[in-house]
Amino acid sequence: MSAAQHAENFLQLLTAGILTGVIYGLMCVGLSVIFGIMRVINFAQGEFMMLGMYVAWYCFGVFTGITFFPELLAPYIAALIAGPIVFALGLLLHKLLVSQVTGTSSAALDSEGHYAQLILTLGISLVLANGGLVLFGSAPVSISTPLSSTPWIVGPLAGDEILIFVNQGQTIAALIAIGVVAAFALLMARTRLGRSLRAAADNPEAAIYMGIDVDKAYRLAFAFGVGITAIGGGLLASSNPFQPYIGIDFVIVMYAGVVLGGLGSISGAFFGGLIIGLVQQLSALVLPTQLQNTSIFVVFLILVLIRPEGLFGKAARRA
């Protein structure tokens, strides 16, 4: 293989890694919001991503039945709609279940409710995955659109020897993911709601004395976290087939990205997910496809050994 072919393979995989990693970063942000504000490890995060995929899939089916609806925009609008729907489900689940072992209710529990939180979120994960199997079936599905299989061609570069194919559907999904992360970052930094959430994360007791309803802040944080991850799942659904048990595959990726970036850091979680996407794709240069996830954890272990607090560990105290 010539040097030009090696360069073309590298640039192609680098492009794919960036586009995939941006969506991973969005999903990692959702998980980081829950941990950063509530200090809860949510084992069910992958299942909320799966619900986002199926909500987007059903919405896409509805949209395609509307003759005047623009087909090219349908999968991305469906993905954005998945966020509010799963957000509402998150509010309900927190009110009925999660609030019983978090916030002020956790003070009377052993280890401040951390053991109960782990068991509860694991139980929610199992219920959602198996409930999804009953409702949706086990056959893999996906959202196929013309953009999913249509590339932009960059090049030729280096004479006529290098061509880079950039998937149009993944590019639009990545831009939407960046927009969602930016919008949420602005909400956290510039609005009264964002300041309340950050206050509840930094010092819950002081926040209560300042008149902030910490339990409500935790409820919103949980709903925002699962809703953001659901949007990421909806965006991913147009480029990946999925089934009800897909959550377990991606929750590992999300946790790796969050820890790499620094626990509790929104920007760190996003860049951690981006790194995971790059490592996953670029590893195909030297490893077979079935070992791509192994490369993620090799890099993960190396970075943890070098910098245990994560790349953005200094920001871990603030969500």
Side-chain angles (χ1 to χ4, degrees):
M1 186 180 293
S2 66
Q5 289 176 312
H6 282 295
E8 181 178 272
N9 290 341
F10 173 78
L11 292 174
Q12 189 66 61
L13 292 172
L14 178 66
T15 302
I18 292 173
L19 298 179
T20 302
V22 166
I23 299 177
Y24 286 175
L26 175 63
M27 296 190 296
C28 289
V29 166
L31 181 61
S32 181
V33 168
I34 294 176
F35 181 84
I37 295 176
M38 299 177 61
R39 299 297 189 265
V40 171
I41 297 176
N42 182 20
F43 282 118
Q45 196 73 6
E47 279 60 47
F48 287 107
M49 182 209 74
M50 175 269 294
L51 289 178
M53 288 178 151
Y54 275 102
V55 170
W57 184 62
Y58 277 107
C59 288
F60 176 74
V62 172
F63 293 156
T64 53
I66 303 174
T67 55
F68 61 84
F69 200 88
E71 181 183 357
L72 295 180
L73 296 178
Y76 311 109
I77 296 175
L80 291 174
I81 290 175
I85 292 175
V86 177
F87 176 93
L89 176 62
L91 286 176
L92 180 63
L93 284 177
H94 186 279
K95 184 176 180 62
L96 296 178
L97 296 173
V98 182
S99 63
Q100 307 303 314
V101 295
T102 59
T104 56
S105 300
S106 66
L109 300 177
D110 187 29
S111 297
E112 297 184 345
H114 293 308
Y115 299 148
Q117 292 163 13
L118 293 175
I119 298 301
L120 176 64
T121 57
L122 180 60
I124 293 173
S125 169
L126 294 173
V127 169
L128 291 178
N130 289 285
L133 182 64
V134 173
L135 290 175
F136 309 130
S138 59
V141 295
S142 64
I143 299 176
S144 298
T145 68
L147 292 180
S148 301
S149 56
T150 305
W152 284 301
I153 301 176
V154 180
L157 306 174
D160 294 328
E161 297 186 352
I162 298 178
L163 291 174
I164 303 172
F165 297 90
V166 182
N167 186 279
Q168 294 184 11
Q170 287 184 328
T171 302
I172 295 172
L175 292 174
I176 293 173
I178 292 172
V180 172
V181 172
F184 184 74
L186 285 174
L187 181 145
M188 291 294 292
R190 301 291 179 86
T191 66
R192 183 181 179 87
L193 172 60
R195 289 191 290 270
S196 298
L197 293 176
R198 287 187 284 122
D202 288 341
N203 193 325
E205 292 184 6
I208 292 173
Y209 290 128
M210 294 296 294
I212 295 172
D213 188 339
V214 171
D215 288 331
K216 181 180 179 181
Y218 284 175
R219 184 168 299 130
L220 288 171
F222 187 82
F224 273 124
V226 298
I228 289 170
T229 295
I231 293 175
L235 293 173
L236 202 63
S238 60
S239 58
N240 287 270
F242 55 93
Q243 36 72 29
Y245 289 114
I246 194 173
I248 188 62
D249 297 328
F250 284 93
V251 76
I252 296 173
V253 170
M254 284 187 273
Y255 272 110
V258 169
V259 175
L260 281 178
L263 291 172
S265 169
I266 290 177
S267 59
F270 178 77
F271 286 107
L274 179 60
I275 291 171
I276 294 297
L278 286 169
V279 170
Q280 187 182 63
Q281 296 297 321
L282 290 174
S283 64
L285 291 170
V286 294
L287 294 173
T289 304
Q290 58 268 29
L291 292 180
Q292 282 184 328
N293 284 343
T294 302
S295 64
I296 292 174
F297 289 101
V298 171
V299 173
F300 171 79
L301 291 174
I302 293 173
L303 286 178
V304 167
L305 287 173
I306 297 173
R307 191 175 174 82
E309 68 274 23
L311 296 176
F312 293 77
K314 291 181 180 181
R317 293 183 180 180
R318 186 176 295 275

